Each structure stands twice: as C-alpha cells, then as structure tokens.
C-alpha cells in the first residue's frame, strides 16, 4: 500500500518511519473497511530496513520476509480468537508485558497489535493502560476496534 495516496495516512507513516510517532494508535471502524490492512502495511513499513523512496516496505529484506511469514520477532499480535463471547484476557496482557520488557531483536522497533480491542475487560484494559504509561522508545501499539 502506497501511503502517499492517503493524506492522513501519509502523515502517520512518515512519523513512524522517523520513529517520531506516538506510542499508541486506535483504529476504529466497522469490520471490512480496511483497518487490518492499514495496520499490517504500516507495521511492515515500520519494520522494513530497506524502504523504497516512496516509503513502502521493500518486500525483499530479511525483516519483510520475517513479517510476511508471520515470524518477525519484533511483531506481536493479540486477538480474541474470533470465538463467540471470547475476550482478551489478563494472560494475553502478561504476554504483551513479557514482549514489552525485551529489547528489539532486529534493532528497529517493536510493534503490538491488539485486534478487537473492544473485548478488553476492565482488568486487562487497566493493564494495557499501565503498559502505555511505561512507554518505551520505538515501541508502538495499534489497537483496532469496531466499538468505542
């Protein structure tokens, strides 16, 4: 995805590329509007060490390869498993915390994506807020939600 074609996204991607962006973003909207695609492309662009001049991830470097096969060590995803009445639990947040405490394996940035953030209960939600208060440089949280 070429972020130059979407003005508001271009600004976010530019700040992420320079590692000057805030530590957390919330993407809100109905399912199917492209939140997942945008966050995945921003994440790949952020992790790529050989971005094209237009800011798009190269798709060829080791970081892009690791990202595309779902094995990048600096990329962590939490989801509600898409099961009926499934929620993100405190155990999930502890896994994020463990990831959060480590330095970047590849030396650029660490990314945490929380899909369906509206399924966070009170205790996991408070634990996420605590992690956000302890922001580490070059660590980015993307929270995706259908409801606010």
């Amino acid at each position: 995805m070429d972020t130059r074609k979407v003005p508001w996204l271009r600004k976010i991607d530019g700040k992420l590329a320079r590692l000057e962006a805030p530590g957390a973003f919330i993407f809100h909207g109905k399912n199917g509007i492209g939140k997942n695609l945008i966050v995945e492309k921003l994440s790949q662009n952020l992790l790529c060490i050989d971005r094209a001049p237009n800011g798009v991830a190269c798709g060829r470097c080791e970081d892009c390869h690791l990202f595309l096969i779902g094995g990048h060590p600096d990329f962590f995803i939490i989801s509600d498993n898409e099961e009926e009445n499934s929620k993100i639990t405190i155990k999930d947040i502890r896994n994020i915390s463990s990831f959060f405490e480590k330095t970047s394996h590849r030396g650029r940035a660490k990314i945490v994506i929380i899909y369906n953030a509206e399924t966070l209960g009170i205790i996991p939600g408070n634990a996420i807020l605590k992690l956000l208060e302890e922001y580490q440089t070059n660590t980015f949280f993307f929270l995706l939600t259908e409801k606010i």
Side-chain angles (χ1 to χ4, degrees), residues 1 16 40 62 72-73 81 85 87 101 122 126 132 134:
M1 169 184 279
L16 284 170
E40 288 167 9
E62 186 174 359
H72 200 290
N81 298 321
N85 297 321
K87 291 192 175 202
E101 292 170 356
I122 292 172
N126 286 336
L132 293 174
E134 298 170 359

Side-chain angles (χ1 to χ4, degrees), residues 3-14 25 27 38 42:
T3 58
R4 293 178 304 165
K5 296 178 182 177
V6 185
W8 65 268
L9 191 55
R10 182 178 344 136
K11 188 173 182 179
I12 291 171
D13 192 41
F25 293 88
F27 287 85
I38 288 172
L42 286 172

Side-chain angles (χ1 to χ4, degrees), residues 16 22 26-27 53 71 93 107 110 121 127 139 144:
L16 284 170
I26 296 176
F27 287 85
I93 306 309
K110 294 187 303 181
T139 300
L144 289 82

Side-chain angles (χ1 to χ4, degrees), residues 45-97:
N45 290 351
L46 182 58
L47 294 170
C48 179
I49 58 168
D50 194 23
R51 287 172 62 141
N54 66 359
V56 176
C58 71
R60 297 180 310 273
C61 69
E62 186 174 359
D63 286 296
C64 284
H65 175 71
L66 288 169
F67 181 84
L68 292 171
I69 63 169
H72 200 290
D74 295 328
F75 185 69
F76 192 84
I77 296 175
I78 292 288
S79 178
D80 65 357
N81 298 321
E82 299 178 2
E83 295 175 10
E84 197 72 29
N85 297 321
S86 176
K87 291 192 175 202
I88 297 170
T89 66
I90 194 66
K91 181 180 176 185
D92 295 323
I93 306 309
R94 286 187 185 118
N95 290 336
I96 292 174
S97 182

